[in-house]
Structure formats: structure tokens, C-alpha cells
Amino acid sequence: MQTLAVMVTTPPHSNLTTTAIDYIECAIQKGIKVIGVFFYQDGVLNASSYLSLPNDEYQSIKQWQRLNKEYDLPLHICVTAGEKRGLTDEIDDQTGKKTQTNINDAFILSGLGELVELSSKADRVVQL
Amino acid sequence: MQTLAVMVTTPPHSNLTTTAIDYIECAIQKGIKVIGVFFYQDGVLNASSYLSLPNDEYQSIKQWQRLNKEYDLPLHICVTAGEKRGLTDEIDDQTGKKTQTNINDAFILSGLGELVELSSKADRVVQL
Amino acid sequence: MINKKQSIAILNSTAPFASTNGKDALDLALIFGSYEQNTSLFFQGDGVYQLVKKQSPDKISTKDYLKTFAAFEFYDIKHIYVCAASLDQRALSDDFHIDNVTVLTTSEFSKELHARKIILRF
Amino acid sequence: MINKKQSIAILNSTAPFASTNGKDALDLALIFGSYEQNTSLFFQGDGVYQLVKKQSPDKISTKDYLKTFAAFEFYDIKHIYVCAASLDQRALSDDFHIDNVTVLTTSEFSKELHARKIILRF
Amino acid sequence: MTILHLIRSSAFSSNDLKQCISNIEHYDNVVLLDDGCYNINHPLMKQLQDKSSMINLYIVKDHAQARAVNFDDISKEVLNSITMTELVALTFSNDSVVTWQ
Amino acid sequence: MTILHLIRSSAFSSNDLKQCISNIEHYDNVVLLDDGCYNINHPLMKQLQDKSSMINLYIVKDHAQARAVNFDDISKEVLNSITMTELVALTFSNDSVVTWQ
């Protein structure tokens, strides 16, 4: 079985991200094993749980969630790129407690090492 | 007194934003009245309260806070652009209550009408 | 309160779909127009692709924000200018998906731009 | 576990400060290198500005991430290639702020790029 | 080793296509997608067409049609229109992929 | 009415400078800042210099020095080096501002 890893660097409100989603779904339906998507640079914004795109626009976040659920597709977001863009996995409110995350559940916070791992395992790595 | 409004469209991790901050501070020190900064497109990311830039990098967020505090500089972020990038002024947690904001206190959520108002009042509008 | 009318140029230089520039510029144009500011739209460079007829954004799952261009008159957008040289370079005709577009030479385009008090470019 | 070594090209095509592309590419190169992948850096187009000597990022309040280039050897980065034509077009010399940079003709540059299994461009 | 080149930007705005062309070798595949479809009418297209005996050149049909980019008058021997699924296939028939965006 | 043109991008990568040049009129001011400083060595610079009798051309000194862009061999009659404070002054000595970025 052919394996594929994808690096996404474009934000949810760009049509380039729609292309990435389309490409990944076509790959899966063609029988390619997509071993993971790594979100880097502005790509991490796809994981924001407070994202609100107008109802009549393409809902990239819902598409990512669907791909994650239907096909068990791992969605990794780069922790450093996330922090630079306001995405964090622990928020200290006034009480100093770790409360909630602003990252959507379909996504996993990962280090850059995860991309190395995906790259070492995949037959092809595509940047979209 | 000469008046100025500035529209910022670049994110906090870009050096172009450093230029905007530098320009605005020079204007204020020169005796120009900067009546407001309007953050649009990726510029809204400057307002994220969970932003974490590496300590040894330029802290644009602290600079915006300082300009806001020292000079009473109004910082408006566009609500629509904010929503597209995960910034919101009310977060419903499990209890359904309006709890906290992920927007830094130095910034005000505003509609596009605010930019029209700034434009109608300022002697010059500069996009940076 | 909006205490004086300004002449505003919204200068479009980006193709419609890959970035939100076109949509963001449109939103600005409509709001300036609805506040009765003297608002004009300028299309140059890849921005002229926003005016091309028979686009089908549905083929790439994108909302057709270009449809809203039909509402320019309603929003009191004064002028819509397009740069002839930019059309020529891209082998595009002057057959646009909206009416009342004025095709200008590079020199005329520049002069109209210079007549505005505020210029925002996307 | 990292179960096989891949040859990786990180292709730099952006100038250093206005975007984070250069820094983001550097971070990738260092991590691939530290995991003992066969990693090479390629500089072409405006990416060659990252190699220019005597830059002073402090003048624009920016951290000098270019300093980290000195650590390439430590991180086991195999090769650093730069496109001669890109240097020429920008009137730049081959006097770089790091050692062990190989200047290649356009054709050699392309051939080296083709020898890599994974190519990531910034 | 052959490269699959993905051209995602307009050469009227950016330098990406020009850089891509300097990195094309025999048997490479070049695909115009997203805003890359606009390049059909760019002067650099001639350089790509001149290489058509040594490379294969493709355009993603839906991306071109979305933009009203008409490629009917270009011979199929020079430019092939493909679907996204065919793009996936090209990913595996080449040895590596570079995205010019 | 004169325009202050702010050039913030490299003409080696983007089409912005070319578009700017087509919109320059007599008495306009043009400033190279940020990555726009790289344009000192771009062929389009000649077109700007040829206009130097009808426009004023500036470069933000700190931005050029940060990038090791050397403009010493360009006559001060053609290119003036300025500070950010002087850029603010230019904002008000022109009627409007366009940012090419």
C-alpha cells in the first residue's frame, strides 16, 4: 500500500486549503494510506476551536474533522507555530488552573519531530 | 494638530508589523495625533491574548500594549477578520456561560464602520 | 459620527480565490459606500481576474463573492476602473461580469488614483 | 521511531525578515538534521539574501536567527547549495556569513535538487 | 529521479514559475493548479511548451474552469487536463514533489 | 495631488514595484522600506532613477542596513536616505499614501 504524508501551510480561509483537503480525500479514496497531515506556519490556524467562518462559506474546519473521523486521519499541528498564532493547550485563567484548550479535538499538538517521523515513513511527502 | 489613522494587515510574527509599530511611535513622538489603529486581515492576530512568541524575539504584543497604555492609542480589531482567525469575544464553555475572551484587553473589537469613522476624521490613512 | 466625506480608492491587485484579499477589499468598498463616502474601485495586475466573466467558484467549493459586485450601484460605489494594460498582458477581453466598468489606459488609471484622498490596496 | 533515512532538501526562496519562512525552514532543517536524516539546504531566488554577510537585524528590532546557520555542522546538515544565477541577478558576491556553502550553476542546482526524496520549499 | 512540480501561483504576480522552470529536468511532470492556471497566458508558458517533448504538462480542470481559464486551443499533446485523482497518481509516478507557491 | 508610494516588497519576487511605477506622477515621492530595500539592485530601479528629475526617491536607512543593502554609490541627488521620523513627515507632505506590499 502506498503511503503519503502532507504538510499544510495555508490558513482555513484560503482556497488553497480547500485544494489540500480535496487532494487528501482523493488520495484516501484511491486507496493511498495517508499516514498524517502536519500543519505548519499559518496552517495551524485550521485547528482553532473558536474559528467561525460565515455559514455560506466553505467550512474547512468541518472538513478536517470529517476526514479525521471517517478515515482516522491523524492531524498534527506544530506546537511552535501554534504558539506564535495564539493556539495553546493550557490556558491559565485567574485561578491559575489549567482549564481548556482553544485547539479543536480533531487535532493533536505535536513537535517538529513528528514531521520527521511522518517523512521517514511515507513514500511521498507533499507540501500543500 | 495633524491626525493619522493606520490600518495594520500583517501578523505579530512578521517584521513588517515591527515597522508599523516603529512608524506609529515616531508619529506620536513627532506630535502627530494617531486617532486609531485598525487591524484587518492577518493583522487581527496581534490581538490574541494567548499569543506566545519566543522570549528572545521581538514582542509585538507588548509593544502594542505599551503604545495603548502610554499614549491612549485606540487599537481596533475587525470582528469579521477576527472570527475567521479564531478570535472571539464570547466563549461558551460546557456550562453555556459567556466566560472569557481570547482577545487582549488593549484591543477593542470593532466593525468595519470604525475604519470608515477613522478615515473620515484622519488627515492621512496609512496601510502598513 | 462620520463628519466628512472622503474620496476612497480600493485598489485590487490580487486574483479572487487563493487569498481573501478580494473579499476583504469588497467588504471595505461596501461599507465605505454604505456610509456615503465617495468610494471607487480600481482593478490592476492580477486584480483584473476578479472581473472575468463565467467563473465557476463552485468547482473549487468556494462561495461566489463576485456575485456581490452586482450590488455596487445599490451601495453607491461611484466608479469601477480597470487598467487596460493589465487586461492585455493577461489576454483578457473587456467583457466583464458586471456593467459600468470603465477601462482606462495606464496613464488615465494613475491620474484617477491620484485624485483620491485615501487609497487602500489588497 | 524514525525507521529509515531520507534525503531531504529544504529549499529557501524567501528573504529573511518580512516573513517567518526563513526561520521556519531553518527550524525544519535543524530537526531533520538532528534526527540524522540526510538533510541539505538550498538557496535560490530571494532566499539567497539569507546568506548575505554583515546584516544587522538589530536595526529593525529582529532577532538574528541567521546566527544559527553557524551550527549547521553541529546539526549534521550535509550540504548548503546556493544558485549562482540568483546571486548574479541580485548583484551579490559569494562572500557569505557562513563557510562551506557550495555555489552551483542553475543546471547543477537543479540536478542536486532532483537527487532528493523529499523537497520542502519556503 | 523525476520531480512533480506543482505550480500554484500566478507568474504575473510572483517569481515562482520562473524559479520552477530553472529546476526542470527531462521526464519531470509540471502541473498548473490553483492560481497557477492563470499561467496559460503568461509569456513563460512558451518556455514550458518548448520543453513539451521532454516533460509532461498538466492542468487541473476544475481549477481552470473555476477561474474561467480556457485551454481549449492548446494541443493535448502539449497540455493535458486532469482531475485531482489523477494528480494523486502523478504524485506516485514521480520520485518527489516540489510545490511552487 | 501627490502620492507617497511605500515599496515594501522585493521586485525579484513580486510584481508590486512594477505596478507602482505605472502609477507614478510628477512630484510623487517613492520610499523603499522593508524588503523594498532590495530593489536597489533590481533592473526596474533604472526606471525609477530615470524619473528622478520629476519625483523624489528615498530609502529607510535602518531597513537597508539591517539587510546589508549598500546604497553608497548612488548619488544623493537620486536617492535620499531617511529615518522613520522623516517618513512620517513625508506622509503629511504628500496628499495620499499607497502601500505596495
Side-chain angles (χ1 to χ4, degrees):
Chain A
M1 195 179 199
Q2 288 170 317
T3 56
L4 176 72
V6 179
M7 181 167 90
V8 172
T9 57
T10 52
H13 47 80
S14 162
N15 185 259
L16 295 172
T17 303
T18 313
T19 298
I21 291 169
D22 194 10
Y23 175 86
I24 290 166
E25 185 147 28
C26 283
I28 294 171
Q29 288 175 351
K30 207 177 140 62
I32 310 289
K33 171 84 184 155
V34 183
I35 62 171
V37 182
F38 190 86
F39 295 84
Y40 197 44
Q41 300 192 305
D42 283 349
V44 300
L45 290 170
N46 284 284
S48 170
S49 56
Y50 298 141
L51 209 68
S52 158
L53 298 174
N55 281 332
D56 53 350
E57 286 183 16
Y58 182 76
Q59 302 293 317
S60 18
I61 185 84
K62 286 193 185 144
Q63 298 298 327
W64 288 121
Q65 286 176 296
R66 188 176 59 74
L67 291 180
N68 170 255
K69 205 172 168 182
E70 273 183 31
Y71 307 109
D72 239 347
L73 177 68
L75 305 174
H76 300 277
I77 75 158
C78 171
V79 56
T80 321
E83 282 173 352
K84 281 188 186 174
R85 288 159 183 88
L87 294 173
T88 170
D89 62 344
E90 46 179 307
I91 290 163
D92 296 312
D93 63 4
Q94 290 90 330
T95 67
K97 282 192 297 180
K98 179 171 173 173
T99 45
Q100 61 181 352
T101 164
N102 56 10
I103 296 167
N104 191 289
D105 285 344
F107 296 79
I108 313 154
L109 260 184
S110 303
L112 280 177
E114 185 64 43
L115 179 63
V116 182
E117 196 161 330
L118 290 172
S119 304
S120 74
K121 286 178 182 159
D123 293 323
R124 293 291 180 281
V125 178
V126 176
Q127 178 183 14
L128 280 175
Chain B
M1 196 179 197
Q2 289 169 317
T3 56
L4 177 71
V6 179
M7 181 167 90
V8 172
T9 58
T10 52
H13 46 80
S14 161
N15 185 259
L16 295 172
T17 303
T18 313
T19 298
I21 291 169
D22 194 10
Y23 175 86
I24 290 165
E25 185 148 28
C26 283
I28 295 170
Q29 287 175 350
K30 209 176 137 61
I32 310 288
K33 171 83 184 156
V34 183
I35 62 170
V37 182
F38 190 86
F39 294 85
Y40 197 44
Q41 300 192 304
D42 283 349
V44 300
L45 290 169
N46 283 284
S48 170
S49 56
Y50 297 141
L51 209 68
S52 159
L53 298 174
N55 282 331
D56 53 351
E57 286 182 16
Y58 182 76
Q59 302 294 317
S60 16
I61 185 84
K62 286 194 185 141
Q63 297 299 325
W64 289 121
Q65 287 176 296
R66 187 177 58 76
L67 290 181
N68 170 255
K69 205 173 167 181
E70 273 184 31
Y71 307 108
D72 239 347
L73 177 68
L75 305 174
H76 300 277
I77 76 159
C78 171
V79 56
T80 322
E83 282 173 354
K84 281 189 185 173
R85 288 161 183 86
L87 294 173
T88 171
D89 63 343
E90 46 180 307
I91 290 162
D92 295 313
D93 63 4
Q94 289 88 332
T95 67
K97 282 192 297 181
K98 178 170 172 173
T99 45
Q100 60 181 352
T101 165
N102 57 9
I103 297 167
N104 191 289
D105 286 343
F107 296 78
I108 313 155
L109 260 185
S110 302
L112 279 176
E114 185 64 44
L115 179 63
V116 182
E117 196 161 331
L118 291 172
S119 303
S120 74
K121 287 178 182 159
D123 294 321
R124 293 291 181 280
V125 178
V126 177
Q127 178 182 13
L128 279 175
Chain C
M1 284 307 300
I2 310 298
N3 52 10
K4 57 176 177 173
K5 287 202 187 184
Q6 295 280 22
S7 60
I8 322 274
I10 308 284
L11 176 51
N12 286 279
S13 58
T14 324
F17 308 124
S19 83
T20 61
N21 277 352
K23 175 71 165 67
D24 293 338
L26 172 67
D27 288 349
L28 278 196
L30 298 185
I31 196 92
F32 275 104
S34 66
Y35 277 83
E36 297 182 343
Q37 305 294 296
N38 180 356
T39 310
S40 301
L41 275 153
F42 290 72
F43 293 87
Q44 194 170 42
D46 277 357
V48 301
Y49 286 123
Q50 297 185 36
L51 294 171
V52 169
K53 234 181 180 168
K54 291 185 184 161
Q55 299 187 67
S56 318
D58 54 302
K59 298 233 172 219
I60 49 170
S61 309
T62 285
K63 189 192 162 191
D64 190 1
Y65 79 89
L66 300 171
K67 269 186 195 164
T68 314
F69 281 24
F72 283 156
E73 221 164 324
F74 176 78
Y75 280 94
D76 208 18
I77 305 285
K78 298 291 179 199
H79 301 282
I80 303 155
Y81 299 115
V82 59
C83 169
S86 300
L87 291 173
D88 288 349
Q89 282 156 13
R90 288 160 186 79
L92 297 172
S93 75
D94 57 358
D95 189 18
F96 309 117
H97 66 83
I98 47 165
D99 297 330
N100 301 319
V101 176
T102 312
V103 182
L104 299 178
T105 65
T106 305
S107 159
E108 291 165 342
F109 191 94
S110 171
K111 283 190 179 59
E112 284 296 340
L113 201 63
H114 277 73
R116 269 66 191 181
K117 190 75 192 70
I118 296 174
I119 307 168
L120 300 173
R121 183 174 181 263
F122 292 90
Chain D
M1 284 305 301
I2 310 299
N3 53 10
K4 58 177 177 174
K5 287 201 187 186
Q6 296 280 23
S7 60
I8 321 274
I10 308 284
L11 176 51
N12 286 280
S13 57
T14 325
F17 307 124
S19 83
T20 62
N21 277 352
K23 174 72 166 65
D24 293 338
L26 172 67
D27 287 348
L28 278 196
L30 297 185
I31 196 91
F32 274 105
S34 66
Y35 276 85
E36 295 182 346
Q37 306 293 296
N38 180 356
T39 310
S40 301
L41 275 154
F42 290 72
F43 294 87
Q44 195 170 41
D46 276 357
V48 301
Y49 285 124
Q50 296 185 36
L51 294 171
V52 168
K53 234 180 178 168
K54 291 185 184 160
Q55 299 187 66
S56 318
D58 55 300
K59 297 231 174 222
I60 48 171
S61 310
T62 286
K63 189 194 163 191
D64 190 0
Y65 78 89
L66 300 171
K67 269 187 195 163
T68 315
F69 282 23
F72 284 156
E73 222 165 323
F74 176 77
Y75 279 94
D76 209 18
I77 305 286
K78 298 290 180 200
H79 301 283
I80 302 154
Y81 298 115
V82 59
C83 169
S86 301
L87 292 173
D88 287 350
Q89 282 156 14
R90 288 160 186 79
L92 296 173
S93 75
D94 58 358
D95 189 17
F96 309 118
H97 66 82
I98 46 165
D99 297 330
N100 301 319
V101 177
T102 311
V103 181
L104 299 178
T105 65
T106 305
S107 160
E108 291 164 343
F109 191 93
S110 171
K111 283 190 179 59
E112 284 297 339
L113 201 62
H114 277 73
R116 268 66 189 181
K117 191 77 193 69
I118 296 173
I119 307 168
L120 300 173
R121 181 172 181 265
F122 292 90
Chain E
M1 303 262 286
T2 65
I3 290 182
L4 172 66
H5 301 270
L6 303 181
I7 314 284
R8 304 187 83 188
S9 63
S10 156
F12 294 102
S13 287
S14 101
N15 194 41
D16 292 336
L17 178 59
K18 203 174 154 211
Q19 263 183 58
C20 168
I21 289 175
S22 79
N23 289 294
I24 290 178
E25 301 287 329
H26 224 300
Y27 308 120
D28 278 1
N29 290 177
V30 179
V31 181
L32 306 177
L33 71 162
D34 298 310
D35 282 359
C37 297
Y38 294 127
N39 295 324
I40 285 291
N41 292 308
H42 192 276
L44 284 173
M45 191 65 188
K46 198 182 168 307
Q47 289 189 35
L48 273 182
Q49 293 191 7
D50 288 348
K51 289 178 191 275
S52 66
S53 60
M54 57 176 270
I55 63 165
N56 285 321
L57 183 59
Y58 305 90
I59 189 164
V60 174
K61 195 179 175 184
D62 282 346
H63 292 193
Q65 290 184 341
R67 291 165 177 80
V69 168
N70 188 340
F71 52 89
D72 291 346
D73 47 352
I74 301 178
S75 154
K76 281 196 177 182
E77 281 167 37
V78 173
L79 181 73
N80 302 280
S81 134
I82 57 170
T83 64
M84 196 55 91
T85 306
E86 290 170 302
L87 179 60
V88 172
L90 288 176
T91 309
F92 288 89
S93 61
N94 285 274
D95 297 296
S96 63
V97 187
V98 186
T99 304
W100 306 89
Q101 74 186 2
Chain F
M1 302 262 286
T2 64
I3 290 183
L4 173 65
H5 299 270
L6 303 181
I7 314 283
R8 303 186 84 187
S9 62
S10 156
F12 295 102
S13 287
S14 102
N15 194 40
D16 292 335
L17 178 59
K18 202 175 154 211
Q19 263 183 59
C20 168
I21 289 174
S22 79
N23 289 294
I24 290 178
E25 302 286 330
H26 224 301
Y27 307 119
D28 279 1
N29 289 176
V30 179
V31 181
L32 307 177
L33 71 162
D34 298 310
D35 282 0
C37 296
Y38 294 127
N39 295 325
I40 285 292
N41 293 307
H42 193 275
L44 284 173
M45 191 64 189
K46 196 178 170 310
Q47 290 189 35
L48 274 182
Q49 294 191 7
D50 287 350
K51 290 177 190 277
S52 65
S53 59
M54 57 178 269
I55 63 165
N56 284 321
L57 182 59
Y58 304 89
I59 188 165
V60 174
K61 194 179 176 186
D62 282 346
H63 292 193
Q65 289 183 340
R67 292 165 176 80
V69 168
N70 188 340
F71 53 87
D72 291 346
D73 47 351
I74 302 177
S75 154
K76 282 197 174 181
E77 281 167 37
V78 172
L79 181 74
N80 301 281
S81 135
I82 57 170
T83 64
M84 195 55 91
T85 305
E86 289 170 304
L87 179 61
V88 172
L90 288 175
T91 309
F92 288 89
S93 62
N94 285 274
D95 297 296
S96 64
V97 187
V98 186
T99 304
W100 306 89
Q101 72 185 3

